Amino acid sequence: MDTLGPFLSSDKTGRNSSHSNGSTRYIHTGTGAQKIINNSGYIGEYSGSGNPTFNFGPVLPGRTNFTGAYAHSSLHSVATYVPRPELEQQLQAQLSASADPQQSKEPRTVVIWGLGGAGKSQLALRYVQKHQQDYQAVFWIEAGRKETIERDYVQIYKQLYPSLSSSNATMPVEDAITGVNSWLQGQDKRCLWVMDSADEVEDDTSELYVDLNHYLPNAPQLDRIVTTRSSRVQGMNSQGAIEVKEMTEPEAVDLFRRCANLLAKSKHDEQEVLKIVKELGCLALAVTLAGSYVREDPEMSSDLSLYLLAFQQRRAQLLSQKPHRLVYQYGESVLSTWEISYSTIQRQSPAAAKLLNVLAFLNFDDIFLNLFVERPTIPTRQQLSLQDHNIATIAEKPRWVQILSSNGASVNHDSIKSAFKTLHAYSLVSWRSDQQAYRMHKLVHAWGHDRLSVEQGRAWSSAALELLCDRQGDVNIERRLVPHVMANFIAVSSAYEGDHQVSAEDRNGLSWVVRLLHRLGRWDDEYRVRVFLREVMEATLGLEHPDTLTSMNDLALVLSNQGKYEQAEEMHGQTLEVQKKVLGHEHPDTLTSMNNLALVLSRQGKYEQAEEMHGQTLEVQKKVLGHEHLTTLASMNNPAAVLSRQGKYERAKEMYRQTLELMKRVQGLEHSDILWSVGGLATVLRDQDKYKQAEEMYRQILELQKVLGHEHPVTLTSMNNLALVLSRQGKYEQAEEMHGQTLEVQKKVLGHEHPDTLTSMNSLNVVRISKNVSIIVRKTMRTIAIVGLLWLVLGTVW
């Protein structure tokens, strides 16, 4: 690129000629020499035609051999800077080749890009501080706005040509650009040109737009560094742009301590600092703001936990503060930096701006593209009868599709990719190749949420919830949905905080969420959502409404699944009393609650009470629903389980067999309820020491449960049962391995204190003891055999 090219021309006739551009005149002579003159006087000359090369004498009129550095703001060392060795080495390596004068005659350009506040400018400044002696001159341009670039060009020109710029006349910007380019072209030693914060480089309709091609000088011995939030500038860097991401945790901790001026170190303080930087996502500017804030507050300096509390309560206010320039080289706060990016995106791609609002109500990580693809809709017969059924189809589209679509167009893979590409260009999302998904920085994600009003938050969180519900039935992505549905639930519940008048659409959406979580065995997550739904139902519908009672029953079931049996028993009891009063003793919901209460009693070892209640429930179900009703058949397993736990194996086995035969006839072999009967029967066989039959049945069950996934609590229970059977057959190695696998997953999914986890821990210890005893016995028997053989041999020889 030759920046001067567009301003220069020659007269093909060979005669003297001239043309002008504003106040600058270009004089062409018959010999091909051309002079550049402006209102202030002579600037330089070049020879040739087309794209000319400058020829300078040893000392041109008005030109100085400038050395040193120019910057509108100070380039002094920042006391709080924390070295980032990997990035610094990468930058140095890309520019070191330009030190050799035999290298390419083109300038070498390095692009440093990343999220606003990540530390791009500090990385460039660090390079300047360490390597300034390697350059004849260093020029630091504030490129955030066209006005600051032009201001810096004029100031640089005045330093390079002091005699030509001594008058008080206003310096034309284009003259300054031409003059600075001319000076740089004439240098034999390396010079460095830094364009800092060149962020608005894509949308030429923006008032802040900066044309980099116009403002970047071009000279053989010139190194150029461009810092930007735009990933699209990467193409200028032939060796690959340097992406500045969040700091490592140790780097962020070090930066916080420096900014907060924390001298003494204690274990408690270190833990608090680590919590703070994690909450801030290790973003350099945010960590600096936090450290500076703490330093200025004596109370927080003595108790760092106060900052984290204040940050969580007043996140937007704390992040919007501008840092002190002497502490950090940023003139804008974190939030205002991102708001500028958002405004630009909104002009360029309204769909991308809307997508960003939706993302604020999903999880910040693992944002995969298939999450957003619209499912094909089939028009109804009524719609097809309309003249323009396309309009009717659009009207029936989900709200999230209507929001993200442009002019009624479909939301498909290409349109979503295009929107993400825009967000990625401004570093508001990043691509994770290992996940094949996008990711947002935690603070960008939080800012996307905090920037909206309460009403806007409700609307966008509701649209995001609807998006998630539209994925139902897609078993391939259900587990990936969990972090997103939980992040959305937090947003939705926060949007309605203090106001339980939740819309019917959101209640239906959350009902789908709990079904998903229950199906995946995510008991803790399911509990959180069900607590909220129960409160909403009671506040909206009243305590005695059937839907409220159902929500109470469901919540008690989750408590039971969590191993909180006493709490579950109490809630089931409360629900049952109201149901008997409101619905009657024979209502199906009342019978369900009786059955659930009996199950909890059984799990607590209250077998007599459980057996009696199961019997009562089953009799009424047979009367009301019929002997072969699915609910009746499922309930038949429960008294059989109680009998088994009491050691009444023959009666239990007979009841399981009867239930199994009925289920096969009514439901078919593939129905999931059959697994409960098969599992119960296998347990009875195990307790009767019929291990081979039990092992075979448990393996069949595990094979059928593959569809649930290896982390589902039901699958884990079956694995534990199989391991017990293996152990009782003396297959200790297999049993130990399976118990170990089960225990690790249970700790992760259920927690360390869940009864099932504790049972597995105990079983694993028993297996290990049994295995060691078996080894000792085998060794002892082997020793006895050897000694006996020796005695026999010696006796014979004797």
Side-chain angles (χ1 to χ4, degrees):
M1 168 184 103
D2 192 330
T3 309
L4 298 179
F7 303 107
L8 304 175
S9 63
S10 61
D11 182 359
K12 294 182 180 180
T13 64
R15 295 174 297 178
N16 292 349
S17 64
S18 68
H19 74 280
S20 64
N21 179 18
S23 59
T24 304
R25 290 185 296 120
Y26 305 96
I27 301 177
H28 315 284
T29 65
T31 60
Q34 303 181 33
K35 295 183 178 181
I36 308 173
I37 300 177
N38 66 14
N39 292 338
S40 300
Y42 178 87
I43 296 178
E45 63 180 27
Y46 63 90
S47 62
S49 61
N51 241 355
T53 302
F54 277 79
N55 294 317
F56 294 94
V59 179
L60 292 177
R63 171 174 161 229
T64 66
N65 291 322
F66 176 81
T67 59
Y70 164 82
H72 184 75
S73 300
S74 172
L75 292 181
H76 290 304
S77 176
V78 177
T80 57
Y81 180 79
V82 173
R84 303 178 74 172
E86 185 177 344
L87 294 175
E88 292 174 19
Q89 291 169 11
Q90 194 176 349
L91 177 55
Q92 182 178 348
Q94 292 200 21
L95 290 176
S96 60
S98 62
D100 185 354
Q102 301 303 318
Q103 293 292 325
S104 170
K105 297 301 182 181
E106 295 296 320
R108 189 173 298 276
T109 304
V110 176
V111 175
I112 303 173
W113 72 283
L115 179 65
K120 304 179 296 294
S121 299
Q122 287 301 301
L123 180 63
L125 180 58
R126 178 70 166 178
Y127 178 82
V128 170
Q129 293 164 355
K130 291 178 67 175
H131 300 279
Q132 185 173 344
Q133 69 278 4
D134 299 333
Y135 295 96
Q136 174 185 329
V138 174
F139 304 97
W140 186 284
I141 313 301
E142 295 180 4
R145 303 176 66 92
K146 181 174 67 173
E147 292 80 4
T148 59
I149 298 175
E150 293 176 348
R151 174 205 66 198
D152 288 340
Y153 256 111
V154 170
Q155 294 300 321
I156 292 170
Y157 177 88
K158 290 180 178 181
Q159 292 196 38
L160 300 181
Y161 302 96
S163 63
L164 297 180
S165 55
S166 57
S167 68
N168 293 326
T170 301
M171 166 65 63
V173 172
E174 293 302 326
D175 289 354
I177 293 173
T178 304
V180 172
N181 272 277
S182 172
W183 187 91
L184 290 169
Q185 287 279 351
Q187 302 310 301
D188 296 326
K189 296 181 180 180
R190 295 171 71 200
C191 295
L192 177 63
W193 188 274
V194 181
M195 295 283 280
D196 183 42
S197 299
D199 300 318
E200 298 297 322
V201 294
E202 298 177 39
D203 183 7
D204 57 6
T205 64
S206 169
E207 294 179 358
L208 301 175
Y209 174 69
V210 170
D211 183 359
L212 273 182
N213 288 327
H214 180 60
Y215 290 114
L216 260 180
N218 187 21
Q221 296 301 321
L222 184 64
D223 287 352
R224 306 185 299 190
I225 297 175
V226 178
T227 73
T228 179
R229 293 196 295 269
S230 173
S231 64
R232 292 176 181 167
V233 187
Q234 295 180 68
M236 298 177 62
N237 196 356
S238 60
Q239 300 182 69
I242 299 173
E243 183 180 5
V244 180
K245 300 180 180 180
E246 56 265 32
M247 307 177 85
T248 65
E249 286 181 1
E251 290 171 347
V253 166
D254 190 8
L255 177 59
F256 181 88
R257 294 192 66 86
R258 294 185 187 205
C259 294
N261 197 27
L262 297 177
L263 302 177
K265 291 186 178 181
S266 68
K267 187 174 181 179
H268 179 265
D269 280 356
E270 289 298 303
Q271 292 173 346
E272 290 299 323
V273 172
L274 187 58
K275 288 180 185 177
I276 291 172
V277 299
K278 281 184 176 180
E279 186 73 19
L280 297 172
C282 296
L283 186 69
L285 179 53
V287 172
T288 300
L289 283 169
S292 303
Y293 189 88
V294 167
R295 184 187 58 194
E296 296 170 4
D297 190 317
E299 188 179 10
M300 284 189 180
S301 296
S302 60
D303 185 358
L304 294 176
S305 62
L306 294 176
Y307 178 82
L308 198 57
L309 182 63
F311 175 80
Q312 291 167 343
Q313 293 175 345
R314 297 183 291 118
R315 179 171 54 202
Q317 178 186 343
L318 292 175
L319 286 179
S320 64
Q321 295 182 356
K322 291 186 178 181
H324 197 284
R325 276 192 169 274
L326 294 179
V327 176
Y328 215 68
Q329 298 293 316
Y330 280 96
E332 295 174 311
S333 69
V334 178
L335 299 187
S336 61
T337 298
W338 298 337
E339 279 293 343
I340 292 171
S341 295
Y342 179 80
S343 298
T344 304
I345 290 169
Q346 206 169 26
R347 289 193 303 272
Q348 285 187 4
S349 172
K354 293 174 182 177
L355 176 61
L356 188 67
N357 289 340
V358 172
L359 295 182
F361 298 95
L362 301 175
N363 189 48
F364 65 89
D365 197 13
D366 193 26
I367 308 167
F368 52 99
L369 294 179
N370 284 345
L371 183 61
F372 302 89
V373 177
E374 178 186 357
R375 294 192 173 191
T377 55
I378 301 174
T380 64
R381 185 176 301 175
Q382 181 182 3
Q383 290 170 350
L384 290 173
S385 67
L386 299 174
Q387 286 186 344
D388 189 356
H389 66 267
N390 288 326
I391 296 176
T393 304
I394 292 169
E396 294 298 319
K397 289 180 181 291
R399 282 175 302 163
W400 74 269
V401 174
Q402 296 180 48
I403 288 173
L404 293 182
S405 62
S406 178
N407 299 322
S410 296
V411 176
N412 53 40
H413 190 74
D414 291 338
S415 65
I416 289 297
K417 277 184 69 175
S418 176
F420 269 110
K421 186 177 181 182
T422 302
L423 297 180
H424 184 261
Y426 286 89
S427 303
L428 293 179
V429 297
S430 59
W431 176 253
R432 291 280 301 273
S433 56
D434 57 331
Q435 292 181 325
Q436 288 296 292
Y438 284 98
R439 181 181 186 276
M440 296 179 75
H441 189 279
K442 286 178 66 177
L443 289 187
V444 175
H445 184 261
W447 158 77
H449 175 276
D450 292 347
R451 64 186 300 276
L452 300 172
S453 67
V454 173
E455 288 304 316
Q456 289 173 325
R458 287 186 180 183
W460 286 108
S461 62
S462 181
L465 176 58
E466 191 180 55
L467 161 68
L468 294 168
C469 293
D470 208 29
R471 302 297 97 193
Q472 60 184 314
D474 193 340
V475 295
N476 295 318
I477 67 170
E478 279 192 344
R479 290 196 175 276
R480 295 183 77 175
L481 287 178
V482 172
H484 294 295
V485 298
M486 291 311 298
N488 180 263
F489 162 70
I490 292 171
V492 170
S493 57
S494 298
Y496 288 101
E497 187 173 3
D499 177 12
H500 289 108
Q501 300 302 314
V502 180
S503 67
E505 293 83 2
D506 285 350
R507 289 204 305 271
N508 292 335
L510 291 175
S511 296
W512 170 82
V513 166
V514 291
R515 290 195 296 272
L516 169 71
L517 296 171
H518 182 81
R519 188 163 60 252
L520 296 175
R522 302 294 293 249
W523 310 136
D524 290 347
D525 291 334
E526 183 187 355
Y527 175 77
R528 294 173 62 190
V529 184
R530 287 206 183 276
V531 167
F532 177 75
L533 277 176
R534 190 196 70 80
E535 292 173 351
V536 167
M537 293 294 187
E538 186 171 345
T540 306
L541 305 174
L543 178 60
E544 296 184 350
H545 192 279
D547 290 350
T548 304
L549 296 172
T550 299
S551 69
M552 290 175 65
N553 180 68
D554 292 339
L555 182 56
L557 281 174
V558 181
L559 287 168
S560 179
N561 288 332
Q562 289 179 303
K564 300 173 181 177
Y565 301 128
E566 291 184 1
Q567 297 178 49
E569 180 185 350
E570 181 180 358
M571 182 161 285
H572 274 312
Q574 292 174 355
T575 307
L576 183 58
E577 286 304 312
V578 180
Q579 285 175 324
K580 286 179 179 179
K581 171 188 171 185
V582 176
L583 304 176
H585 288 67
E586 295 185 352
H587 191 279
D589 288 355
T590 305
L591 296 174
T592 298
S593 291
M594 287 179 66
N595 188 59
N596 292 335
L597 178 56
L599 286 171
V600 172
L601 292 170
S602 177
R603 288 179 179 180
Q604 295 178 88
K606 301 176 181 179
Y607 299 126
E608 292 183 2
Q609 293 174 257
E611 185 178 358
E612 181 183 357
M613 186 164 285
H614 275 312
Q616 292 174 359
T617 306
L618 189 57
E619 286 304 312
V620 180
Q621 284 176 327
K622 287 178 180 178
K623 172 188 172 185
V624 176
L625 303 175
H627 286 67
E628 296 187 353
H629 192 278
L630 296 182
T631 304
T632 305
L633 293 175
S635 296
M636 288 177 67
N637 286 314
N638 299 325
V642 175
L643 291 170
S644 177
R645 288 170 181 170
Q646 289 177 296
K648 302 174 182 178
Y649 300 124
E650 292 304 322
R651 289 176 58 191
K653 186 162 59 174
E654 181 62 25
M655 185 167 284
Y656 274 130
R657 290 190 188 280
Q658 290 176 5
T659 306
L660 192 55
E661 288 303 317
L662 285 169
M663 284 185 170
K664 285 180 181 178
R665 189 174 79 239
V666 176
Q667 298 173 309
L669 288 171
E670 296 182 355
H671 197 281
S672 58
D673 283 349
I674 286 183
L675 293 179
W676 296 108
S677 297
V678 176
L681 184 56
T683 300
V684 173
L685 292 170
R686 180 195 70 194
D687 292 340
Q688 289 184 306
D689 299 335
K690 298 177 181 179
Y691 301 128
K692 287 187 178 180
Q693 293 172 266
E695 179 184 346
E696 182 181 353
M697 296 184 87
Y698 280 135
R699 290 193 184 278
Q700 290 175 357
I701 292 169
L702 272 174
E703 187 65 27
L704 292 171
Q705 286 174 338
K706 280 184 177 179
V707 68
L708 298 177
H710 73 284
E711 292 188 354
H712 196 286
V714 173
T715 305
L716 296 173
T717 298
S718 296
M719 289 176 65
N720 187 62
N721 289 333
L722 177 57
L724 286 172
V725 172
L726 293 170
S727 174
R728 292 187 183 181
Q729 295 178 84
K731 301 176 182 179
Y732 298 121
E733 296 291 341
Q734 297 178 50
E736 182 181 11
E737 182 181 359
M738 185 160 285
H739 272 313
Q741 292 174 356
T742 306
L743 181 59
E744 286 306 308
V745 182
Q746 283 176 325
K747 287 178 179 178
K748 172 186 171 185
V749 176
L750 303 176
H752 289 66
E753 297 183 359
H754 191 281
D756 289 355
T757 307
L758 298 174
T759 299
S760 292
M761 289 175 65
N762 182 64
S763 300
L764 180 59
N765 290 330
V766 170
V767 168
R768 286 172 174 169
I769 292 171
S770 300
K771 184 180 75 169
N772 291 334
V773 170
S774 174
I775 292 171
I776 292 170
V777 170
R778 287 200 303 270
K779 288 182 177 179
T780 303
M781 295 302 293
R782 191 181 302 116
T783 302
I784 292 173
I786 293 171
V787 170
L789 181 61
L790 286 173
W791 275 110
L792 181 62
V793 171
L794 289 173
T796 303
V797 173
W798 185 261

